Amino acid sequence: MSPSFLEDVIAGLSLPQKALPPKYFYDAAGSKLFERICRLPEYYLTRAELSLTRANLASLARFAGRKCDLIEYGSGESLKTRLLLRGVRPSAYIAVDISPAALLGAVRALTRAFPKLNITGVAGDFSRPLKIPVFEGKTRRVVYFPGSTIGNLTPDEAHAFLRMTRGQVGAHGAMLVGVDLKKDPTVLHAAYNDSRGVTARFNLNLLARINRELGGDFELRRWRHYAFYNAPLGRIEMHLASLKKQSVAVGQHRFSFSEGETIHTENSYKYSAEEFRVLAASGGFAAPKLWMDKKEQFALFGLEAS
Ligand SMILES: C[S@@+](CC[C@H](N)C(=O)[O-])C[C@H]1O[C@@H](n2cnc3c(N)ncnc32)[C@H](O)[C@@H]1O
């Protein structure tokens, strides 16, 4: 049992609007469910980012620069990374993820596919100071942050993350960030409310994980996945709604929920290209390159340290 998980759950369920940090979605079961989400017909994000990466590989490789050190945050199954590694041919690849299960699987598969590449997996939380293996000398450092993971951070958290990364890559470093763009809210709504119910299972797995790891007694059938686009804030919000008045124990603690009360479990911010450029600049990056898929649903920004 991780003490910080318990502390974060107690703190989050004590807020007026109860909330849980989305990083706890990703135990082994959650990572598997997320991989299934990426393959759902409604979840356009992965397909759009894969297709724009495939279509622009030569230009992406020129931007990253051959023999760079590539560090990926929130690497998960490293699906798009396979394409990028073929094009960029970095001298080292470092994958960082909070989910040891996903990381291990990805590093094993990549080691088989790229036997000559220097690959390191770091199981850790990028929202805290992390020890990344020291890079050699003057090699250009490029941070890869695909999958709209930056959208799961609040604008303040995203700003802090960009600042941290800017410090890591140094004056000649760069960043490739996958950003989901503002669009028709019905397309967004469908992506987070898939017809097969996989996103619902992913969301509910957070309560199951609290039961497994923290001695919680959430009854999953008393909770419903609830996701909607909050247009004024430009974000999808994911919640778990209590279907009735109930009281739930987590270890020694007890929490009451009224009927319809929700636990806010995730945000997924959507940006316009201009909004993201402003955010990147606040974090110390210029955004000279922007690649988009054909439908202009998703963008990959090439950021240079400024
Ligand atoms: C939205 S998924 C994206 C996965 C993959 N990069 C992609 O493009 O499909 C977020 C990934 O970041 C990881 N993650 C989430 N919060 C994290 C944190 N605080 N520190 C490290 N990894 C985290 C998750 O385990 C998951 O693999």
Side-chain angles (χ1 to χ4, degrees), residues 23 26 34 72 74-76 80 97-98 124-126 146-147 149 152:
K23 64 184 177 186
Y26 299 96
F34 184 74
E72 179 172 359
S75 44
K80 295 143 210 159
D97 204 284
I98 202 162
D125 180 350
F126 59 60
T149 306
N152 298 141

Side-chain angles (χ1 to χ4, degrees), residues 139-160:
T139 311
R140 174 168 156 94
R141 292 170 201 171
V142 180
V143 162
Y144 182 43
F145 198 38
S148 176
T149 306
I150 198 156
N152 298 141
L153 310 181
T154 63
D156 282 350
E157 289 166 346
H159 167 83

Side-chain angles (χ1 to χ4, degrees), residues 59-69 88-91 140 142:
S59 158
L60 284 162
R62 272 196 302 282
F63 175 81
R66 281 271 168 102
K67 302 274 173 218
C68 66
D69 284 333
V88 172
R89 296 167 167 264
S91 61
R140 174 168 156 94
V142 180

Side-chain angles (χ1 to χ4, degrees), residues 13 34 59 109 201 221 236 247 257 274 304:
L13 295 183
F34 184 74
S59 158
R201 284 178 57 199
R221 63 191 169 80
I236 284 280
S247 150
F257 298 88
E274 195 41 43
E304 290 282 1

